[in-house]
Amino acid sequence: MNPPPTRVLITGFEPFDGEDTNPSWEAAHRVAQQPPPDMTVTAVAISCVFGQALDELRDAIEEKSPELVLCVGQAGGRTDLTVERVAINVDDARIPDNAGQQPVDEPIVPGGPAAYFSSLPVKACVAAARRAGVPASVSQTAGTFVCNHLFYGLAHLISTRYPGIRGGFVHVPYVPAQVTHRAAPSMAARDIATGLRAILVAARENITDIRETGGATH
């Protein structure tokens, strides 16, 4: 008998900072509509609001009981899919969130670890996206806005409440509609979704990571 499909939760953010769309949600929704083989994928839109984002993620995990969680966020200016290696325990907002909050140097979890590494095989995920024809790389920083807030919160939930879950975070570029008025790199939502599907397959198939360079000099 074949094993049951892997239960996956994928999240994307609502638009923020005056944007009309958010490519993370566009792509996450596409993945849920056309999931990889042998996976059931639920997509959840997350508010770009400190605190509320973690509440929504926690509720989705409790409701869906996923085995894999992939959170996705927009990183305007990046050129490729960037699989995040580490989340840090600090909120330091350069701009307000969608509720007007702008925390500065506040811990996400008071007394929590300084950082968590992703529990996904980040380098295997990058390699899989590249094999699917989508540019990708390892990122050493998820920023200090709501994306890092959600990533750290996910890792803390896995560490303290859901040890059977594996999860991580991917940042994605703008989509073309967002750059018609500025010079910035972009990627079609369908291509982002292709890369995310490959990342999910790699996360399911690789419990340990591959060993190849993925570091940075700065």
Side-chain angles (χ1 to χ4, degrees):
M1 181 180 295
N2 293 329
T6 302
R7 298 184 306 277
V8 175
L9 174 66
I10 187 169
T11 72
F13 281 103
E14 66 182 351
F16 68 99
D17 196 25
E19 297 289 342
D20 294 325
T21 189
N22 191 312
S24 66
W25 173 243
E26 285 191 42
H29 183 62
R30 283 173 178 260
V31 172
Q33 287 183 314
Q34 292 185 296
D38 301 320
M39 290 188 184
T40 58
V41 178
T42 300
V44 173
I46 299 293
S47 300
C48 188
V49 177
F50 290 102
Q52 183 177 338
L54 295 187
D55 292 340
E56 293 169 353
L57 176 64
R58 186 182 305 108
D59 289 346
I61 290 174
E62 291 177 354
E63 179 182 352
K64 301 300 180 182
S65 299
E67 297 162 90
L68 284 175
V69 179
L70 185 64
C71 296
V72 187
Q74 169 190 299
R78 293 193 185 181
T79 60
D80 58 355
L81 303 193
T82 48
V83 183
E84 298 296 344
R85 190 196 294 261
V86 61
I88 60 174
N89 190 13
V90 64
D91 290 331
D92 190 6
R94 182 182 59 82
I95 59 174
D97 68 10
N98 283 356
Q101 302 176 103
Q102 194 170 2
V104 175
D105 296 341
E106 295 290 336
I108 300 166
V109 177
Y116 284 109
F117 285 112
S118 175
S119 55
L120 299 184
V122 295
K123 293 181 179 180
C125 289
V126 166
R130 290 172 174 173
R131 287 194 300 271
V134 179
S137 60
V138 177
S139 170
Q140 322 303 332
T141 175
T144 55
F145 195 51
V146 186
C147 287
N148 176 75
H149 181 85
L150 189 69
F151 182 17
Y152 185 93
L154 169 63
H156 190 69
L157 283 172
I158 291 171
S159 175
T160 59
R161 294 180 57 178
Y162 301 105
I165 293 176
R166 297 164 64 227
F169 198 99
V170 176
H171 268 118
V172 302
Y174 289 133
V175 289
Q178 293 177 283
V179 299
T180 55
H181 61 293
R182 58 188 158 198
S186 66
M187 184 182 294
R190 66 177 180 276
D191 295 329
I192 295 173
T194 295
L196 295 178
R197 291 187 193 98
I199 286 168
L200 287 175
V201 172
R204 180 184 60 192
E205 295 180 351
N206 294 269
I207 301 301
T208 58
D209 209 354
I210 61 176
R211 187 173 177 83
E212 66 179 35
T213 184
T217 57
H218 57 82

